[in-house]
Structure formats: structure tokens, C-alpha cells
Amino acid sequence: MQWETVIGLEIHTQLATQSKIFSGAPTAFGADPNTQACAIDLGLPGVLPVLNVQAVRFAVRFGKAIEAEIAPRSIFARKNYFYPDLPKGYQISQYELPVVGKGQVEIVLDEGTVKTIGVTRAHLEEDAGKSLHEDFQGFTGIDLNRAGTPLLEIVSEPDMRSPQEAVAYAKKIHQIVRYIGISDGNMQEGSFRMDANVSVRPVGQAEFGTRAEIKNVNSFRFLEKAIQFEVERQIDLIEGGGTVVQETRLYDAAKDETRSMRTKEEANDYRYFPDPDLLPLEIDADFLAEAVADLPELPDAKRARFQADYGLSEYDADLLTASRELADYFESVAKDSGEPKLAANWVSGELMAALNKAECEIGESPVSAAMLAGLIARIKDGTISGKLAKQVFEGMWNGGGDADRVIESQGLKQITDTGAIESMIDAIVAANPAQVEQYRSGKDKIFGFFVGQVMKQSGGKANPGQVNEILRRKLQG
Amino acid sequence: MQNKSIAQLAADLRLRTYSSVELTRHYLERIERLDPRLNAYVTVSAEPALAAAERADRALKAGEAGPLTGIPIAHKDIFCTQGIRTSCGSRMLDDFIAPYDATVVEKLAAAGAVVLGKTNMDEFAMGSSNETSFYGPVKNPWDETRVPGGSSGGSAAAVAARLCAAATGTDTGGSIRQPAALCGITGIKPTYGRCSRWGMIAFASSLDQAGVMARSAADAAFILDEMAGFDSRDSTSADVPVPDYVDALDNDIKELRIGLPKEYFGEGLDGRVGAAIQDAIKEYERLGAEIVEISLPNSPLSVPVYYVVAPAECSSNLARFDGVRYGHRCEDPKDLEDLYKRSRAEGFGAEVQRRIMIGTYALSAGYYDAYYLKAQKIRHLIADDFRRAFEQVDVIMGPTSPTTAFPIGAKMDDPVSMYLNDIYTIATNLAGLPGMSIPVEPVDGLPVGLQVIGNYFDEARLLNVAHQYQHVTHWHQAAPAGFE
């Protein structure tokens, strides 16, 4: 039987606010346990939540970025369940009326076709703390630093049909939240966590199969593998005469498998109800306008513009818009140098390779956009050859200053003095009579030998155009 | 000293007739001598009180005194007080010391008040008789075999017995007004949102409101002036200007339109309590008020609606008491579930457990629409009744409680009969309106309270209306025998 996979994703993205969603405690990552949790985060008696407006602004920006409706009135609700790292015994979330309604994003599939994935909703909520099961000799440690950290939960429609589509969608959301500056998207630190709802059905069947939810996946690679495993598990199960049960599963990366965590019967009854400590969240036109006033150009628009304005290939445009920082870098180099194609080649080639090798982000590049544009200018005006430019780049990367300084200090300036090149060629022609004879007897290929000799002699600095021209003249005698 | 009004005490302190330290010692001595009979205080904070009194005396001497500087008051033990235990009447918080002051506590401290201690209350404010407290029942100073009402029973008894000049209380369904009525004092529950809930341990967040328990409307006005106001730490706090309540006391009440809801004078009301209320209303007629019969047709639904909404909210509000971070934790839990179950079973009393279970049920999948959602809808209807009534009248009057104080133990085995004690007070909480109770002529030596309900943020008028009655009557000055 032919099976079709149906996938929907719930993505929890941590919002990049300075303080927590309902308290003034800081949100910085990595502090000592329980040092970034105030009375409100600890759920002490008598404390009350006050909504962080910046978190609302971020949610609104996201809504706008995915062309969603922003609810003029949304409600915070309590999701009630007991867990040691959930200090109040409930999580403040949004249930029936979320702040962001239906929206959509586009993903590009392998064969280049574009597919629209629906976003059902996005809502604001607070994160829980962490339970630490090691190092406490039979006890569990509770760290509430993360408790109350603002999250935007982004729920997709079940529109994806393969693990690859799910990854493409997740990457797109990841790209958007970083572009619009609402999240650092740091997956190692848990700022971007994915839950996948996976089911299979016979091709042609309209109803969905029973789904399993894979919780808390924190890398795109694991997302793809977890879904792949789960799809195969479900197909094997059904084909073996079994049935899929609705349940929550965990992906074990070490074993590359998903494991049952709890079934529907064991699930909590969350007893959602509107939080009486918080007023309905009302967003008026002024707030909305202010929140999205400085919304940057979004990746899709930027990609199209790069192709149109700079004549970039789709591949290059895609690559150079992967992050806003990279795109800004490229655009700055392109504008300053006036050579967008050279800029694209240098950014996607030398620069990216160097960044990858050094494992650093574009923002940490020792070669600034202005420096790279300076280098391209020197290529353009013939000061250096394209070949030597790589050496200059290396010099800049290693702290040698801007292109002019590296060219100067390493003596890489191109030789364009015709007289100097002529005398160099005269000497080489005189020293290699046998090869000259061969050339003159019609063995054209030997020409390259002479070019090589000149370049060697000049340390690569002789202008290749001039070398070719003079050499040809001299060899012909 | 203990029979003087707050205005008199403030004047005496300014004239140095006696010092705040002397006044504070006087009250502490009374508490030590008389409170063992009443059990009104859970914690007496003598040392911090005397230290605050010394500071007050210095401020008085320096001419920097605030309106309440040096006046000894008490806080219901539901308000968090930094450094002084806040038990909420529960074993769960028997050893809980908050690292912060409630806004109400902070504001009264800033106004110069001296805190004598924390008063007894029904556990987590759940009760109408003060019998659910972990610290034992409070006795009514008018008859020590009877209840003082609840949940602010300790504050009511302490004020009636002159064990403080005034006290704070909270009112979720009548918890200020009913004990004020049963103890013969003046209590005001302001509009929902008038006083901040920050630091006030939540029972039912959409109903809870802090207020004042005092011996007169004038005393209450002095305290409320300092307590009320917007607080950015409480999202449900009202950003509405606070008028000067003391200034408004002497306003004329001629042509005041008083609404009498027929539903408040029907079956269930003790005949002699009803007669005392009617007498008080006649007094208002003599003062020039106009009486209008009105109807609040949905008021019979108040009690059932309340007993869905309040327990639902409390089931969630009390989830934080899980034995993990603070509060009671059972001995040697064998696993997480055991920790939760035993800590909560041991830490909470029967009434609290009953309400958590009712509320959990009402919010459960499949029951939410039938109970919680429906109750919220009826709540709107109840508020609409009042909105229509206030198009016709300025204030609404009726009994605070259907009976006088009942004997301790009489209703503990019959929760529904206990719940019906609040039949006249609950609707104002559901609507978020302000309400007061003032003493009228007693029945058989037991106090009777007249309830006065006002429109939103009309506390100044309530206090004014109460004060005008107290101007021409003396019921509010009567002290229980042995506590004069």
C-alpha cells in the first residue's frame, strides 16, 4: 500500500525580551540556578502577574510577518497541572483566543516548487523551570531561572507531507523569527523547540490517521530523523495489523528512535479557564502600527529583490538571505564596491568558507563589509589580480588591516609597468631557446609555460593581460 | 483610649497627650489580657509594633506625621507582611514568612500606621464563621459561645473588642461585611480593583477585594483614604482617582434615593433582624431619604453562581501550595505523587479541600460549559440587575446577614446552610460593586448589620450615607461587656 505522511508542527520560540513575560526578572541564559527568579517566578503567595508589553510587540511582529490576523482582543488562560518545575501549578498561556490568528509561510521544495504552509495560530505563554535529575543523590533539583520566560508557540496546519517539508517549514519559521528580531533562535539553549504531530494514511484517503506527537526536538537534523523514524514505525505497525494510538513520544537521538512518553488516557485534563489576574489583552491600531513600524524586509522579499536588483542567481540569493546579518553584509559590500556579482562570489565563497572554518557568525567576522568592498575595489582597479586577492583576504582575516595595508605590507601590488614586464619576458625568452623554438614550430600549448615563468618571476604580481599580450608579441619574434 | 475615634487619637498624638508608644503598649496590654478569650490574633508583633511606634513618635515630634501616624491597627493574616508570619489561617503556611509587604500593608505603613499583629481568619478566607482556621475558632465578643462571622472574623472581633483601632479585611463573598454585622462594627468592601491585591493571598481572584473594618464610617474613611488607589503590580487594579473619603462624610443626604430589593426581605430572613433593618431605614427617611422598592431578579442565583466561580478560581490559585518550594511538606514522601497528596491533605483543612474539589470538578473537561461558563454568564445578568437598579436609586439597602451570630459549631456539619449566610452579600462581589455593613439596633443583645450597596467607585457616598446614620444613632458606639 502507498502511504501518505501528514505532519503539523508546534514550535516554541523564546522571545528576546530583557525581562520575563509576567515579572521583572531577567531572562539571560546560563546563570546559576534560581538566581534569575523573583517572587513572581517562584509562585509565592499573593504575587500577581503583569504582562510584559515587549512580548506582545514581538508576537504582533510575527503575526504581521506571516500575514496573519492580529486579534484586537485575546485572553490569557491558565493551563492547570502539577509539576515541580511549574511553580504556580498552572502555566499562563492563551487558549481560546490567541493573539495571532491564521497566517502562512512559503517553503521552497527540492525541485524548486513553492508550497504554502498554513499557520493556525501563534500565542503567548510562559515557560516552566527545569528539573535537574543528576547530582542530587536521589532528589530532584529545581531551577526556576527559565520559569516565566516568554514564549511564542507557533502552531502549523497539518500541511506538510514529508520530513523534508517539515524541516523546510521549521527553518523558514526560524529564519523569520530571527529576521524580525523577536528571538535569537538559539537551538542549543532551547530558544527554538519543535513538537511534531505525525500521522500516516493510505494515499487517497481524506481522513487523517491517528497522530503521535514527538515532543521537544531541538535540531533540524533530529526533526527530520525523528519524523522519518516515526513514519516508518507507524507504517510497520499498521501493516503488521496493529493500530497507532494517540500519544506523546520522545525522540532519543542516541538510539535514533521515538519512545512512548504518555498515552491520551494518561494525559492531563488541563482545566483551562481565563486567568482572572490578567485583563484581556487589547491591541489597538496605534499599538499595532508602532509594533510593526520598523519591521525589516522579510526573507522572501529580500531574496526576490536581490535577484532583481543585483542579478543574483536564485541559489546565490537564497544563500545570501539565509540570515538578516548575512544579507545586510552582502548588500553593504555590493553597494560600496559597485560590483554585486563579485560581492556575491566573495561573500558566498571566501568569506563563508572562512567563517565555517573558524566556526563563527557573520557578526564576528574579522573582515568587515567595508574591508571586503575595499578589496573588491582593488581588484576592479587592477591593483591586484583576482588570484592575489585571496592572499589579501587572508591577510585581512588574520588582522593585517584593510586591503591597501595588506597589499602594501606584503608587496602584492600588481606590476603594470610595460617596461618592467617586457624586460622580464626578454630574459625568460633568452633563457629558454628550446621552448621558443617549439612555440614557433606551432606548438601553441607551450605558451602556458612562458606565462607560468613570468608569473613565477613576478611573484604572481604581473598583470596577466599585459603578460599575454607582450609574450605573444615577443615569441612571434 | 480604646474607645476614641481615629480622628481623636490622631489629634491626641499630635498634641502629645500620649505617645504612640503609650497607645501601642495600651493595645498590646489589652491584647495580652483579653485576646485569650477571643483568639482574634494569630500573631502579635509586639516588638516591630513598638519600634514602629517609636518611629511614629519621632515623626510626630518632627512635625512630619502622616494621617495615620502612630495609630495601632491589625492586618488580616491574608496580607503578606515582610518579616512577620503570614499564615492565611492554614497549617499549609504555618511557617511562611513573606519576603515582601502587600501593597495595602505598604501603603498603611507609609501613612504611619503601627501594626499590632495579624488577625485570625477562616482558612484561606473560606468560611463564614471563622471556624475553619487552623488556629481555632474566634469567639464573638458579644457572646463568646457564638461565632464572629467570617472569613475576617479575627479582624471583626479585634475591632469590636477594642484590641486595635481598626483592621484590614478582605471580602470575596461577604467576608468583611458579614463579620462586621455579626460583631457590631462598620466594614466596607470597596469596588473590585479599588485596593491592590498585590501581596494579598488569593482565594478567588476575580472576587477578592481588600477593605476596612472599623468602629465607625469616619474611622473607615480615614483608613480607606490611605489604602485605596491604583497599583501597577496588580493588573486588575483600577486606575481611577481616589476622592477624599473623609471630606465627603458630612455631605447632606436629603433626597438620597434608597433602593430596597424585595428579594432581600423575603424567606430566610430572621423576622427580628428584618424589623431592625426596617427601623434603620425609617431613620434614613427621617433624614430626608426617599425609599424606592426595587427588584434584583437574578439575586437568588448568586449563591450557586458564587459556589462555582469561587471554588474554580481557588482550585487553581491554591495549586501552588504543593510542598515543593515553601509551606507544609509531608514527612518522608516516597515519590512525587505522595509528596503532593500528603502535603496537601495534611496542609489544607476540610473546607479548603471541599472547595478545591468542587472547583476542579467545575473546570473539568465536559463540565466547564455547564458550570463555569454558565456561571460567568449569570454573573453578567446579576451585574445587569444592579446596573438597572442604579438608574433609579443612589444606594441599595438591606440586611447584611439573615440572622445574628449563631453558636459555634451550629453549622459546621451543614455547608449549604453555612453558605446561605452570605446570601445578601455575594451578589455585590459577583458584580464587583462596593458594599458596607453598619451596626443598627441589636436583637437580644446581638449585633445586626445594615448593608449599604453603592454604584462602582461610589465608596465616598457609602461612607457618607453610613456616617450620617451614625451621626444620629449610637449603635456603633456600643462596646461588648467586658471589653469596654
Side-chain angles (χ1 to χ4, degrees), chain B residues 423-452:
Chain B
I423 191 159
Y424 305 131
T425 49
I426 276 175
T428 54
N429 296 81
L430 292 170
L433 292 164
M436 265 191 98
S437 180
I438 54 174
V440 298
E441 185 174 4
V443 168
D444 281 345
L446 290 173
V448 173
L450 169 73
Q451 186 176 207
V452 191

Side-chain angles (χ1 to χ4, degrees), chain B residues 270-281 440-443 448 450 469:
Chain B
D270 179 291
R272 293 197 295 170
V273 169
I277 297 299
Q278 294 293 358
D279 281 351
I281 287 161
V440 298
E441 185 174 4
V443 168
V448 173
L450 169 73
Y469 177 82

Side-chain angles (χ1 to χ4, degrees), chain A residues 39 42-50 78 80 82-84 87-90 144 269 271-274 276-277 279, chain B residues 80 96 99-100 197-201 205 232-236 316-317 319-320 325-326 336 340 360 363-365 368 372:
Chain A
L42 298 177
L44 292 184
V47 302
L48 293 169
V50 174
R78 293 184 183 178
N80 295 284
F82 284 96
Y83 204 70
K88 299 187 293 297
Y90 58 84
L144 295 175
D269 177 355
R271 292 170 282 125
Y272 282 101
F273 75 108
D277 287 334
L279 301 175
Chain B
C80 287
F96 178 71
Y100 43 82
R197 291 190 295 117
W198 170 263
M200 190 175 109
I201 297 177
S205 313
S232 60
R233 290 177 295 188
D234 173 3
S235 308
T236 61
S316 176
N317 282 335
R320 68 189 62 199
R325 296 167 314 288
Y326 55 82
L336 182 61
Y340 284 151
T360 303
L363 290 175
S364 297
Y368 179 85
Y372 188 78

Side-chain angles (χ1 to χ4, degrees), chain A residues 312-443:
Chain A
L312 301 188
S313 68
E314 191 176 326
Y315 177 83
D316 277 348
D318 208 36
L319 193 76
L320 293 172
T321 53
S323 80
R324 195 171 139 192
E325 292 74 18
L326 182 64
D328 287 349
Y329 185 101
F330 158 74
E331 195 153 28
S332 167
V333 176
K335 279 187 176 151
D336 287 0
S337 68
E339 291 287 326
K341 283 195 174 153
L342 267 179
N345 290 343
W346 275 92
V347 174
S348 62
E350 263 345 90
L351 180 72
M352 296 277 267
L355 289 172
N356 285 342
K357 198 173 156 203
E359 288 178 5
C360 64
E361 298 288 324
I362 185 81
E364 304 162 305
S365 170
V367 177
S368 70
M371 285 161 77
L372 188 55
L375 173 63
I376 291 170
R378 291 295 159 267
I379 300 171
K380 209 169 107 186
D381 68 13
T383 307
I384 48 168
S385 65
K387 204 166 173 193
L388 279 183
K390 291 185 180 176
Q391 207 176 317
V392 177
F393 179 86
E394 236 181 82
M396 294 196 296
W397 183 273
N398 292 321
D402 64 13
D404 288 338
R405 262 191 68 191
V406 175
I407 292 167
E408 183 67 37
S409 65
Q410 298 194 14
L412 299 176
K413 195 167 174 181
Q414 187 158 265
I415 301 166
T416 52
D417 175 354
T418 312
I421 296 173
E422 263 191 21
S423 56
M424 213 183 296
I425 287 174
D426 285 343
I428 288 165
V429 168
N432 297 284
Q435 284 83 352
V436 173
E437 200 49 46
Q438 283 180 23
Y439 181 80
R440 287 181 180 159
S441 63
K443 202 174 174 196

Side-chain angles (χ1 to χ4, degrees), chain B residues 132-174:
Chain B
T132 70
S133 169
F134 173 61
Y135 302 95
V138 176
K139 318 279 171 55
N140 191 316
W142 295 90
D143 177 345
E144 289 162 42
T145 67
R146 291 175 187 268
V147 303
S151 66
S152 312
S155 284
V159 170
R162 277 86 174 136
L163 303 183
C164 56
T168 53
T170 61
D171 191 315
T172 305

Side-chain angles (χ1 to χ4, degrees), chain A residues 120-283:
Chain A
T120 314
R121 60 183 283 170
H123 65 255
L124 285 163
E125 63 182 26
E126 60 178 342
D127 208 345
K130 275 182 187 161
S131 294
L132 310 166
H133 298 291
E134 292 116 35
D135 309 331
F136 292 96
Q137 289 153 356
F139 286 83
T140 295
I142 306 292
D143 177 6
L144 295 175
N145 282 351
R146 205 180 64 184
T149 299
L151 299 178
L152 187 67
E153 180 174 339
I154 304 159
V155 183
S156 84
E157 293 287 313
D159 284 349
M160 289 147 279
R161 294 291 173 268
S162 70
Q164 292 73 30
E165 286 185 19
V167 170
Y169 164 79
K171 281 185 170 168
K172 173 61 78 175
I173 296 292
H174 188 248
Q175 187 185 37
I176 290 172
V177 298
R178 294 183 64 199
Y179 250 79
I180 60 176
I182 66 168
S183 175
D184 64 14
N186 189 319
M187 300 179 95
Q188 282 76 43
E189 293 176 3
S191 295
F192 195 85
R193 312 194 288 266
M194 299 164 286
D195 302 340
N197 284 296
V198 179
S199 65
V200 297
R201 62 181 171 189
V203 169
Q205 180 183 302
E207 308 87 66
F208 292 130
T210 304
R211 69 190 148 88
E213 182 179 24
I214 311 166
K215 278 272 184 204
N216 253 330
V217 185
N218 66 354
S219 95
F220 297 126
R221 196 164 60 91
F222 291 163
L223 180 68
E224 183 167 351
K225 292 175 87 168
I227 296 172
Q228 193 60 52
F229 174 88
E230 183 57 22
V231 168
E232 283 162 19
R233 185 189 73 85
Q234 291 186 13
I235 293 173
D236 287 351
L237 189 64
I238 300 169
E239 288 186 342
T243 46
V244 176
V245 293
Q246 191 176 329
E247 62 182 348
T248 303
R249 299 179 70 85
L250 270 186
Y251 177 67
D252 181 338
K255 291 184 180 157
D256 186 24
E257 63 177 29
T258 65
R259 273 201 308 273
S260 181
M261 210 170 119
R262 57 174 180 262
T263 62
K264 192 186 174 190
E265 284 68 37
E266 297 163 305
N268 284 304
D269 177 355
Y270 290 122
R271 292 170 282 125
Y272 282 101
F273 75 108
D275 191 331
D277 287 334
L278 290 161
L279 301 175
L281 170 57
E282 290 184 345
I283 294 173

Side-chain angles (χ1 to χ4, degrees), chain B residues 21-40:
Chain B
V21 169
E22 286 168 309
L23 183 62
T24 301
R25 280 193 204 288
H26 174 72
Y27 273 114
L28 289 170
E29 180 278 322
R30 282 182 67 82
I31 293 167
E32 199 180 328
R33 181 160 49 86
L34 299 168
D35 194 50
R37 285 162 56 185
L38 300 179
N39 196 27

